[in-house]
Amino acid sequence: MLLIRAARPDDCEAVAYIYRYYVENSVASFDYEAPDVACWRDRLASTSAAGRPFLVAEDPDLEDPELGPGIIGYAYLGPYRGKTGWNWTAENSIYLLPVAAGRGIGTTLLQALVAATDPSVVRNIMAVIADEVPASIAIHERVGFVEVGRSPGVGYKFGRWVGCVYLQLRLPLVSSRTCPSA
């Protein structure tokens, strides 16, 4: 039975394991080295401190041979760019164990991430996806993201240039002391 919940520091070992797979085997991440568990704990803390969700998906019926049962995926909202004017825009990240792919879990996890997002903190969610990962693009489109641009050949990994697709989801505008209304 699938359970989606807020991530805890003790989940970061599974998060690191899941992400490491994509760093080592896929252009879904442009990292060349996977962050360690301590880095993921820091990322969880900074994401939470910024009022942005960091979720994990659990399913005891799906099991990775090395990781075992439990966490099968995660999603969170990180910063989009480092300038103050982009504080109300976030970039989402979502990754699943390969055994969990193709089961609708990614869509469910992304829907939960959007639902957990406070629109007074985040106005826009951006997805920056390698153009060689059509399943991720499709998941985002199912949740309501729209393509807003493409950049051919901007990332380099595994000896080749890879393009990116940019998708955006605009959240409802709310009045707040922290989020501009324009």
Side-chain angles (χ1 to χ4, degrees):
M1 174 182 215
L2 183 66
L3 169 67
I4 297 176
R5 61 169 174 77
R8 302 182 300 249
D10 62 327
D11 297 324
C12 290
E13 186 174 332
V15 168
Y17 175 86
I18 293 166
Y19 188 67
R20 184 173 46 252
Y21 170 84
Y22 290 94
V23 169
E24 295 173 355
N25 300 288
S26 170
V27 294
S29 164
F30 285 99
D31 278 332
Y32 285 19
E33 293 187 29
D36 63 14
V37 175
C39 179
W40 282 106
R41 286 189 181 117
D42 291 345
R43 192 170 299 179
L44 171 60
S46 65
T47 300
S48 299
R52 297 176 176 182
F54 194 131
L55 306 177
V56 294
E58 285 185 281
D59 191 333
D61 297 328
L62 290 175
E63 184 172 332
D64 180 86
E66 290 184 42
L67 188 60
I71 305 298
I72 58 166
Y74 69 92
Y76 71 96
L77 293 182
Y80 175 62
R81 303 284 305 255
K83 309 254 189 265
T84 305
W86 282 302
N87 281 354
W88 296 274
T89 298
E91 182 177 340
N92 81 305
S93 292
I94 179 170
Y95 291 93
L96 301 174
L97 284 172
V99 70
R103 300 171 182 262
I105 296 167
T107 301
T108 302
L109 185 56
L110 185 54
Q111 288 169 330
L113 184 71
V114 170
T117 301
D118 180 349
S120 70
V121 175
V122 174
R123 173 77 172 110
N124 295 284
I125 301 174
M126 300 297 297
V128 182
I129 303 170
D131 59 10
E132 296 182 14
V133 189
S136 186
I137 295 168
I139 287 169
H140 284 79
E141 289 174 338
R142 274 194 290 279
V143 175
F145 284 72
V146 296
E147 184 177 322
V148 293
R150 287 180 177 258
S151 294
V154 293
Y156 187 80
K157 193 165 181 188
F158 301 134
R160 67 183 192 280
W161 291 99
V162 180
C164 286
V165 178
Y166 298 84
L167 297 108
Q168 178 180 6
L169 180 69
R170 293 196 64 161
L171 299 176
L173 186 61
V174 297
S175 178
S176 145
R177 287 182 284 142
T178 59
C179 183
S181 60

